[in-house]
Amino acid sequence: MRYQAQVRLKGFPPQNATFTRKTDAKRWIQQTEAAIREGRHFKTTESKRRTLAELIDRYISDVLPTKPKSMNAQGRQLTWWKNELGYRPLADVTPALLSETRDKLHQGRQPATVVRYMAALSHAFTVAVNEWEWLEENPLRKVRKPKEPRGRVRFLSESERQKLLVACKSSNCRQLYPVVVLALSTGMRQSEIMGLKWSDIDLNRGYITLHETKNGERRSVPLVGHAKGLISELAKVRRLDTDLLFFSDSKPTAPIFIRSPWGKALKQAAISDFKFHDLRHTAASYLAMNGASLTEIAEILGHKTLQMVKRYAHLSEQHTSKVLESMNSTIFGVGS
């Protein structure tokens, strides 16, 4: 004998279940009614009814368009998860299953890449928990992320910087030199420099306003010294058919592509193991060696936290030593 149990409450879809004992059926009815009235039942129901593929598809269509800068990368990352686990009901996507899949993801990929894949899926889970109520909690929060190696710190020595600037100045690409000087003097990212428009430049105040940044926040960057002089010279001969500072000669409305002249300049200067992004590291390293605090470096580079700039902390040791030496001399006297 089997017992069919049904819960029908106004305003909610009917719920059905079958039991072999009448007492179990009654208990289920009581618990289900209570869960529905308290708003706890349908989250569990959705997680059994929905698959991970449905979650990812909805996230890609509804949420990713609001994140245009990361749309392509996160779309690829989420598609990987979908191909691996998409057929699974959300209720079956457990931390244990995600841990196994993380280990598979780790094969042939760097820890930093794995962390990004996990972060993309984790945000999709968070949206499903908070906004769609498809899950009770984010199962990926219980899964350990692989430890990332310390961030790369490659910066130009004094002689390397001089040789690189000479090579850039003699390049057939006349825009290469001001681009490199701007990167060294401000720590701006290559994408930020290439997207600069004259409307972003305030030569009177000596500031650049970046409207599109990696962290999505508007940022002001001081424009001083040699970099300001170069931009001022460019302003005198700027083209009227484009608002870009650094434009392609063949298509003035598009940014210049400097990969080839940049590579030739590095080769001419005999500099190895150096990328354009390392100019940003160089600017940060010079700031640290000239006494800038981690907070100041983070503000200039546009980092929200100090974690990313801690890699430069050791470069300010000499400055810290001088500060302590000055303080001790004041307190105890020279030679004490």
Side-chain angles (χ1 to χ4, degrees):
M1 183 178 293
R2 300 180 69 83
Y3 295 90
Q4 181 77 22
Q6 186 178 70
V7 174
R8 298 175 65 89
L9 291 177
K10 186 176 181 179
F12 298 97
Q15 303 297 312
N16 301 282
T18 304
F19 302 90
T20 56
R21 297 196 310 168
K22 188 174 182 179
T23 54
D24 292 339
K26 288 183 176 181
R27 185 183 302 111
W28 178 83
I29 290 173
Q30 292 173 348
Q31 293 175 347
T32 302
E33 285 185 350
I36 292 175
R37 296 184 192 281
E38 295 172 10
R40 295 181 288 106
H41 177 72
F42 289 103
K43 292 180 183 178
T44 304
T45 301
E46 288 294 325
S47 69
K48 292 178 180 178
R49 189 166 66 90
R50 305 282 187 175
T51 64
L52 181 61
E54 290 180 82
L55 185 152
I56 290 174
D57 286 342
R58 181 173 176 182
Y59 183 87
I60 289 176
S61 64
D62 295 357
V63 180
L64 271 191
T66 66
K67 307 163 66 176
K69 288 195 171 182
S70 54
M71 186 172 179
N72 291 335
Q74 290 189 10
R76 289 194 301 270
Q77 293 157 2
L78 290 169
T79 299
W80 186 90
W81 288 105
K82 179 181 175 181
N83 292 336
E84 293 293 324
L85 302 173
Y87 66 95
R88 297 268 191 171
L90 292 176
D92 294 343
V93 182
T94 62
L97 178 63
L98 290 169
S99 295
E100 293 177 9
T101 313
R102 173 209 58 200
D103 295 339
K104 181 178 180 180
L105 176 63
H106 210 333
Q107 297 174 8
R109 292 181 177 86
Q110 296 297 321
T113 302
V114 177
V115 169
R116 290 188 181 93
Y117 273 71
M118 293 177 68
L121 182 61
S122 181
H123 190 256
F125 277 138
T126 299
V127 173
V129 171
N130 296 336
E131 298 184 19
W132 307 338
E133 296 188 342
W134 285 9
L135 289 163
E136 293 278 2
E137 61 179 357
N138 179 352
L140 206 51
R141 287 188 175 180
K142 297 180 179 180
V143 180
R144 178 179 52 84
K145 297 177 183 177
K147 187 175 182 180
E148 297 185 59
R150 295 182 63 183
R152 167 188 170 98
V153 180
R154 168 69 166 99
F155 62 93
L156 295 170
S157 65
E158 183 76 21
S159 61
E160 284 180 326
R161 186 183 74 249
Q162 292 176 357
K163 288 189 292 184
L164 178 61
L165 290 176
V166 169
C168 290
K169 204 167 188 177
S170 62
S171 172
N172 291 331
C173 176
R174 64 185 185 281
Q175 299 185 71
L176 181 62
Y177 181 68
V179 165
V180 172
V181 169
L182 198 58
L184 279 172
S185 64
T186 65
M188 291 167 59
R189 299 179 179 88
Q190 182 176 0
S191 59
E192 293 171 343
I193 294 174
M194 295 310 169
L196 281 179
K197 299 179 180 179
W198 285 108
S199 55
D200 303 328
I201 309 296
D202 188 336
L203 288 172
N204 293 327
R205 292 177 57 246
Y207 272 95
I208 297 172
T209 302
L210 299 176
H211 300 281
E212 299 290 337
T213 63
K214 187 176 180 179
N215 62 27
E217 295 184 354
R218 184 179 287 106
R219 178 167 107 250
S220 292
V221 179
L223 180 62
V224 297
H226 186 44
K228 183 178 181 181
L230 289 175
I231 300 302
S232 298
E233 291 301 314
L234 287 178
K236 296 177 182 177
V237 293
R238 59 170 291 193
R239 291 180 57 154
L240 300 179
D241 56 351
T242 179
D243 194 32
L244 292 171
L245 266 72
F246 306 110
F247 51 85
S248 168
D249 287 332
S250 58
K251 187 179 179 182
T253 55
I256 189 174
F257 191 61
I258 63 167
R259 181 175 181 177
S260 178
W262 166 252
K264 291 179 181 178
L266 287 176
K267 187 175 182 179
Q268 182 181 335
I271 297 175
S272 59
D273 186 31
F274 196 82
K275 305 173 184 177
F276 190 94
H277 191 74
D278 291 328
L279 293 173
R280 181 171 166 84
H281 295 317
T282 299
S285 301
Y286 289 171
L287 285 168
M289 289 185 286
N290 281 275
S293 67
L294 295 185
T295 302
E296 290 169 331
I297 296 173
E299 184 176 353
I300 292 171
L301 297 186
H303 291 305
K304 288 184 177 181
T305 66
L306 297 181
Q307 188 62 37
M308 292 294 292
V309 297
K310 284 183 178 178
R311 68 183 78 177
Y312 310 112
H314 68 286
L315 298 173
S316 62
E317 290 175 357
Q318 184 177 358
H319 171 72
T320 304
S321 177
K322 290 180 180 179
V323 172
L324 281 175
E325 183 180 352
S326 175
M327 181 270 287
N328 277 270
S329 297
T330 301
I331 296 177
F332 303 111
V334 178
S336 298

